[in-house]
Amino acid sequence: MAIKKVLFLLAISSLLMGCSTQKEPTNNTKEEDRIMHNESIYKDGVNYPTSLWEKPEYYFDESQDIDSIKGLYIRSDYNNEESYAFAYLGYPNVENKHDLPAILLLHGGGGTAYYEWVKRWNEKGFVALAIDLEGHVPLKSGNLTSYPAELYTKSKYDAPNNVNLNDGNKEIEQTWLYYATKTAIIGNSFLHSLEEVNSQKIGLCGISWGGYISSIISGYDDRFDFVIPIYCLLGMEESGTPIGSYVTQNPKFRVFDDITPITLVDTPIHFVISSKDQHENIFNASEICGLTKNGTLSIIQNFPHSHFDAVNQIDPYEFALREINNETNIKVEIANNKVNIIGDINKVTSIELFEADEENISANTTYYSTSLDVAKENELILDSNTTYYYVSIHDAKNVVISSKVFKK
């Protein structure tokens, strides 16, 4: 379904709202009443077999260990032949390794499983699994800033490469995007099989292509407690981005780009995007966010598009911690031309209004910012030339929460 069709159906409910509301906090820290299904919950799109929701085969490879982070291979077949995806698994340094939260990490283009990313989430108290999606094995000398030649080597197991969707001549099940999304679901099943992990507290975070994949599978796999796509999300064909052009050139992949599944799930989804990024359009992202049931948005000003910058951005970690602790995030909305902050206003340290005067938002759009008074009720006074506008707030930890992006 195209974005415009879904917008028509949901416009009334989202017209004056921000991205949406958080799930209600509960005194039950395990959220044992949250219903999960061990099969695909969306039946009218990509056909994912129920077997992906079962505990996968895997084995550890000590030669790939880095300090306390373990290297392993998780079974994800390709071309109807047995195959395995490489992954890094790390545990937080805590005495009681029981009932722990966990997170699945999906890299972007030119990337692989990053041990540094695993380590960062371990430091936040999470069991973390970073899984490779392209048949690569990381080099121990590689890091978040390494180019592919110094980052990884080809795996001994067969897997498709990311060719920017130029494999549309193949059957869906033989394409890279199918392989990557199914491998991610298998990664989630692996985390669910670990006895140290609280199955009600497993999240998902993806960078760039990984953010796109995270957005796709969150509409099919409802076992995630939260999802954090960074940079890229769904509905790309209408966004004027490279991924959108790839979908247009290879229409077979429209079934993946369909936003319908992500609008049906209750999973809290926090989109972290850049104000200037050729790979995502902030108006498109805002519209998708507004159509999800529990979506929130962080628009980071001039946020560079890279694995290094994404891993070092504070917002994903803070959102995840607040979700697993059942804390209600502060929200900001624009309604009746006024800024409404929902939550503890005392935690807000700054409010900024961003305006643009261009006909269409792009990676080159210039935003003009105005600081608003946290202590006052702010009625927006927009420039006569303004075409797009939104508001972002910061809290004491410098976490950014943004309103919907409005078109004047």
Side-chain angles (χ1 to χ4, degrees), residues 93-318:
N93 185 18
V94 293
E95 290 186 9
N96 183 16
K97 286 186 168 56
H98 179 68
D99 205 33
L100 296 172
I103 190 153
L104 175 65
L105 305 174
L106 307 180
H107 65 83
T112 185
Y114 290 98
Y115 74 90
E116 301 110 308
W117 202 12
V118 170
K119 185 177 180 181
R120 286 293 299 274
W121 281 97
N122 292 163
E123 291 168 350
K124 300 295 183 181
F126 287 77
V127 175
L129 180 76
I131 192 164
D132 180 86
L133 303 174
E134 296 187 44
H136 298 144
V137 177
L139 298 170
K140 287 189 175 183
S141 56
N143 57 50
L144 284 165
T145 61
S146 297
Y147 289 102
E150 290 78 39
L151 179 63
Y152 53 70
T153 185
K154 183 174 174 57
S155 174
K156 61 184 176 182
Y157 296 108
D158 193 23
N161 294 321
N162 180 355
V163 292
N164 294 331
L165 308 187
N166 280 328
D167 51 357
N169 59 322
K170 298 180 179 179
E171 295 297 321
I172 281 287
E173 291 77 12
Q174 304 305 313
T175 64
W176 169 76
L177 191 54
Y178 181 87
Y179 171 84
T181 52
K182 87 175 182 72
T183 300
I185 295 171
I186 291 170
N188 190 22
S189 298
F190 171 83
L191 286 172
H192 274 269
S193 74
L194 299 179
E195 61 181 15
E196 303 94 339
V197 169
N198 181 343
S199 63
Q200 296 282 336
K201 298 291 184 181
I202 299 176
L204 170 64
C205 184
I207 297 172
S208 194
W209 271 109
Y212 188 62
I213 293 165
S214 298
S215 302
I216 292 170
I217 67 170
S218 61
Y220 290 84
D221 189 344
D222 68 351
R223 295 174 297 170
F224 293 109
D225 186 35
F226 60 88
V227 178
I228 309 171
I230 304 176
Y231 300 127
C232 298
L233 52 145
L234 282 176
M236 286 299 220
E237 190 171 14
E238 298 184 25
S239 67
T241 61
I243 292 180
S245 67
Y246 304 151
V247 175
T248 299
Q249 294 163 17
N250 300 279
K252 177 177 290 188
F253 294 102
R254 284 174 179 155
V255 67
F256 291 97
D257 200 48
D258 182 4
I259 69 171
T260 306
I262 202 175
T263 67
L264 300 177
V265 295
D266 295 320
T267 311
I269 305 175
H270 187 65
F271 303 99
V272 180
I273 63 173
S274 175
S275 64
K276 291 191 173 186
D277 189 350
Q278 65 172 327
H279 299 287
E280 183 53 83
N281 179 294
I282 70 168
F283 186 69
N284 175 74
S286 169
E287 294 297 291
I288 302 301
C289 178
L291 294 173
T292 60
K293 292 182 179 180
N294 286 296
T296 48
L297 181 66
S298 290
I299 303 175
I300 313 299
Q301 295 305 303
N302 303 317
F303 183 25
H305 192 112
S306 76
H307 286 100
F308 176 84
D309 289 285
V311 169
N312 286 288
Q313 186 65 31
I314 189 175
D315 301 80
Y317 304 104
E318 288 300 316

Side-chain angles (χ1 to χ4, degrees), residues 260-387:
T260 306
I262 202 175
T263 67
L264 300 177
V265 295
D266 295 320
T267 311
I269 305 175
H270 187 65
F271 303 99
V272 180
I273 63 173
S274 175
S275 64
K276 291 191 173 186
D277 189 350
Q278 65 172 327
H279 299 287
E280 183 53 83
N281 179 294
I282 70 168
F283 186 69
N284 175 74
S286 169
E287 294 297 291
I288 302 301
C289 178
L291 294 173
T292 60
K293 292 182 179 180
N294 286 296
T296 48
L297 181 66
S298 290
I299 303 175
I300 313 299
Q301 295 305 303
N302 303 317
F303 183 25
H305 192 112
S306 76
H307 286 100
F308 176 84
D309 289 285
V311 169
N312 286 288
Q313 186 65 31
I314 189 175
D315 301 80
Y317 304 104
E318 288 300 316
F319 177 80
L321 287 168
R322 292 171 188 180
E323 280 299 322
I324 66 167
N325 291 320
N326 296 317
E327 298 176 9
T328 302
N329 280 293
I330 303 169
K331 294 193 307 171
V332 59
E333 297 176 348
I334 299 174
N336 299 321
N337 217 39
K338 291 183 179 180
V339 178
N340 297 325
I341 295 176
I342 301 172
D344 189 353
I345 185 67
N346 294 319
K347 293 182 179 179
V348 178
T349 58
S350 67
I351 309 175
E352 283 189 281
L353 166 67
F354 293 92
E355 299 175 79
D357 57 9
E358 299 173 18
E359 183 177 352
N360 295 301
I361 287 179
S362 71
N364 299 316
T365 295
T366 298
Y367 298 93
Y368 304 94
S369 65
T370 304
S371 295
L372 305 179
D373 193 334
V374 176
K376 294 181 179 179
E377 180 179 70
N378 288 286
E379 184 167 354
L380 298 183
I381 302 175
L382 302 175
D383 187 90
S384 60
N385 294 322
T386 293
T387 51

Side-chain angles (χ1 to χ4, degrees), residues 270 297-300 315 392-395 398-402:
H270 187 65
L297 181 66
S298 290
I299 303 175
I300 313 299
D315 301 80
S392 288
I393 61 175
H394 290 77
D395 66 14
N398 206 33
V399 173
V400 177
I401 297 293
S402 304

Side-chain angles (χ1 to χ4, degrees), residues 10-50:
L10 300 179
I12 295 176
S13 64
S14 63
L15 180 61
L16 297 177
M17 299 298 291
C19 287
S20 67
T21 57
Q22 293 287 336
K23 63 181 179 182
E24 290 298 319
T26 173
N27 293 325
N28 181 358
T29 57
K30 292 185 180 181
E31 290 188 10
E32 292 175 346
D33 56 340
R34 184 164 62 87
I35 298 174
M36 298 182 288
H37 298 83
N38 290 317
E39 62 179 356
S40 175
I41 57 169
Y42 187 69
K43 308 297 185 183
D44 297 326
V46 183
N47 180 25
Y48 293 113
T50 304

